[in-house]
Amino acid sequence: VAGKRVLDFAAGSGLVGVAAMKAGAASVLCADIDPFCQAAVAANATANDVTLAFTQTNLLDAPPPEVEVICAGDICYERPMTDAVLAWLALAREKGTRVLIGDPGRTYFPRTGLDFLAEYRVPTSRELEDQEIKRSSVWAMP
């Protein structure tokens, strides 16, 4: 992402946006429709001494923005949302945007049509997940 414009889609707390800026991204737009995310993104940007833009606009209502990389994490836990997001991401990919998807093994994650990049073992808690260590993978749209 060094030198690139990045969209952290379904940003949550902005963790991916922070990582992108720390890796040298030119800019990051964090997008999430959850009204609590803006405060979390701002707090994490401040704590990590990076600048992150934020939008609460539902980006699925318009063509994908002009960025070089879209990172979308944990988007496949509900069928209608998964279908809508994957179709929107495919439009971005067709325009030449690099699309990276992080997924911790959610039910509606597609089992075909993506290129596997990496797998990580992520510590979590039983209050959030069904395991103390969650396997999470990163995939790219070809």
Side-chain angles (χ1 to χ4, degrees), residues 73-76 102-106 109 129 131 134-137:
D74 201 8
I75 56 169
C76 298
D103 186 79
R106 298 291 184 214
F109 184 77
E129 297 290 347
Q131 320 166 350
K134 190 78 172 174
R135 295 174 112 178
S136 196
S137 301

Side-chain angles (χ1 to χ4, degrees), residues 80 100 111 132:
L100 303 173
R111 303 294 177 231
E132 290 178 8

Side-chain angles (χ1 to χ4, degrees), residues 58-140:
N58 185 347
L59 297 183
L60 299 181
D61 292 337
E66 298 294 324
V67 295
E68 285 88 19
V69 180
I70 297 177
C71 299
D74 201 8
I75 56 169
C76 298
Y77 52 86
E78 194 177 79
R79 170 61 74 195
M81 184 180 72
T82 299
D83 293 345
V85 172
L86 291 177
W88 185 82
L89 291 172
L91 291 174
R93 185 67 195 114
E94 288 171 9
K95 291 178 14 181
T97 303
R98 178 138 168 92
V99 175
L100 303 173
I101 301 172
D103 186 79
R106 298 291 184 214
T107 302
Y108 299 106
F109 184 77
R111 303 294 177 231
T112 60
L114 298 170
D115 295 333
F116 174 79
L117 299 179
E119 181 177 88
Y120 302 93
R121 297 173 56 83
V122 181
T124 186
S125 68
R126 292 254 182 215
E127 290 83 22
L128 296 175
E129 297 290 347
D130 56 353
Q131 320 166 350
E132 290 178 8
I133 302 289
K134 190 78 172 174
R135 295 174 112 178
S136 196
S137 301
V138 179
W139 302 79

Side-chain angles (χ1 to χ4, degrees), residues 38-58:
Q38 185 169 9
V41 166
N44 283 326
T46 298
N48 288 280
D49 197 28
V50 298
T51 300
L52 299 172
F54 181 85
T55 184
Q56 192 179 340
T57 301
N58 185 347

